[in-house]
Amino acid sequence: MTTSPAGLPAYQRVSAVIGLQNRARTVLPAAAYDFYAAGSDEQISTAEAVETWRARRIAPRVLRDVSAVDTSVELLGSRLASPVLAAPTAFHRMAHDEGEVATAAGIAAAGSLMVLSSRATRYPEDVAAAAGPWWYQVYCLRDRDITRQQVERATAAGARALVLTVDAPYVPPKATAGLPLPLPQDDELCRSVGLGTRLPGWEQDPALGFDAIGELGRLSGLPVLVKGVLRADDAQACVAAGAAGVIVSNHGGRQLDRAVATADALPAVARAVGDAVPVMVDGGIRTGTDVLVALALGARAVLVGRPVLWALALDGADGVAALLDSYRMQLSTAMALAGAARVADIDGSFLHG
């Protein structure tokens, strides 16, 4: 029997369950764990994210043919093994020496899609060499020339879409404020993106408006999705401004504390957007059953952030692949038991009340 670096049997290394976080805490540097886990202010939004998915109840259909269940989806031209994507998260080299390269390799092995953070600690070209389909997350920075260079570099490296994060005009204090992060200080990229070492021009532009969506599209020639939307009227405005997709997100509770939970915000956004563009969601999704609930609430796909970091810390690329496989297998089981043979079969009628 093989074991992971944490001494766990291989089949126990990673799975889409809450206990994954506690196991990762035993192998991560304390400052890295605290940075990944922390929310803002009282951390109310962070704490309630998981429970809002768990609060939903499923009304399963019976006497449907579920002898074969297909979890695959097509999203902006990419065929994926399941509707579970990796959300953009920063500083992967704190979790694993290979950083985002290992993450990308694991995601590709699981047949999924990675959203690469603009605060990544590996260059886009290196990540692209290990990745399957991937998108690039963008902050519009105070120094727009930096943003332009980042977008052009990611586009040249093969990004298939841009994900504009709009819920972070400022970065509020976290519970970990002031702690030095375990990033290699002899690495130029880590210095430029790291906390406390990046220049003011690297901070987000608080004057950003809806016109940024079209500007990024013209600059890159790529579809632009907007991440950080919690209101129906904002979602409609994003689509009107040219967004190719909307991601319902409260930034993992790391921005405005007491922001509405994404499970609660999703239905109104999905109704407002309709079939115009794909609606996705992140925040607190920890099991395949959560994914089923999100699809029933109107999402086309979900993104997971912190669990990918925990899996990366525990077992590198293999851990990330096993995590996403776990989500897929749990979703397949939940779909079969609920009476849905395909993702397209799932709608609001699967939820009780």
Side-chain angles (χ1 to χ4, degrees):
M1 179 183 296
T2 59
T3 59
S4 73
L8 296 167
Y11 66 86
Q12 292 181 350
R13 289 179 193 171
V14 290
S15 60
V17 295
I18 302 301
L20 180 64
Q21 179 172 347
N22 292 330
R23 285 155 48 199
R25 188 172 193 169
T26 67
V27 300
L28 278 167
Y33 173 84
D34 289 344
F35 175 81
Y36 291 149
S40 62
D41 201 10
E42 298 175 277
Q43 305 193 72
I44 292 171
S45 291
T46 304
E48 71 182 14
V50 172
E51 292 306 319
T52 54
W53 295 109
R54 287 183 171 182
R56 266 62 180 189
R57 295 295 175 265
I58 298 165
R61 295 173 174 171
V62 298
L63 297 176
R64 267 63 172 186
D65 181 359
V66 288
S67 56
V69 174
D70 182 5
T71 63
S72 68
V73 295
E74 185 167 328
L75 203 56
L76 297 185
S78 296
R79 193 70 185 175
L80 308 176
S82 84
V84 183
L85 286 59
T89 49
F91 310 153
H92 288 206
R93 285 192 66 185
M94 296 195 305
H96 190 277
D97 286 344
E98 290 299 311
E100 289 81 3
V101 170
T103 307
I107 293 165
S112 188
L113 182 151
M114 177 184 192
V115 184
L116 178 65
S117 171
S118 62
R119 299 271 161 82
T121 48
R122 295 296 303 269
Y123 288 109
E125 298 86 354
D126 298 327
V127 175
W134 61 284
W135 300 342
Y136 186 70
Q137 180 259 342
V138 181
Y139 290 113
C140 282
L141 305 177
R142 290 178 182 269
D143 186 339
R144 289 301 179 87
D145 193 51
I146 297 174
T147 302
R148 178 186 59 78
Q149 292 174 18
Q150 289 179 324
V151 169
E152 289 177 345
R153 187 168 189 169
T155 301
R160 298 190 183 184
L162 301 181
V163 176
L164 173 63
T165 296
V166 297
D167 59 359
Y170 299 96
V171 178
K174 307 291 191 299
T176 55
L179 292 178
L181 296 180
L183 287 170
Q185 293 304 300
D186 59 347
D187 184 286
E188 180 182 358
L189 177 60
C190 290
R191 286 199 310 273
S192 66
V193 301
L195 295 174
T197 55
R198 58 179 178 250
L199 298 174
W202 282 79
E203 299 302 331
Q204 290 91 286
D205 181 2
L208 195 66
F210 287 99
D211 57 344
I213 300 169
E215 291 173 3
L216 288 172
R218 289 188 292 274
L219 173 62
S220 65
L222 297 175
V224 179
L225 299 94
V226 181
K227 180 178 183 292
V229 178
L230 293 171
R231 296 170 54 107
D233 54 353
D234 279 348
Q236 290 174 322
C238 288
V239 174
V246 172
I247 301 175
V248 177
S249 174
N250 65 12
H251 215 107
R254 296 173 70 84
Q255 285 301 112
L256 176 64
D257 198 19
R258 306 193 201 183
V260 61
T262 55
D264 293 333
L266 172 59
V269 171
R271 286 194 299 270
V273 171
D275 295 327
V277 300
V279 173
M280 288 157 269
V281 65
D282 67 16
I285 296 167
R286 298 294 180 262
T287 70
T289 307
D290 292 340
V291 179
L292 173 63
V293 170
L295 298 175
L297 288 173
R300 186 83 62 86
V302 308
L303 297 92
V304 294
R306 290 182 179 97
V308 172
L309 294 168
W310 309 144
L312 178 67
L314 283 166
D315 205 22
D318 288 344
V320 173
L323 172 74
L324 292 174
D325 282 341
S326 175
Y327 273 108
R328 177 182 53 78
M329 291 184 289
Q330 289 186 5
L331 173 61
S332 178
T333 299
M335 287 172 59
L337 294 174
R342 302 175 304 145
V343 170
D345 296 336
I346 302 169
D347 58 24
S349 70
F350 282 85
L351 296 180
H352 175 71

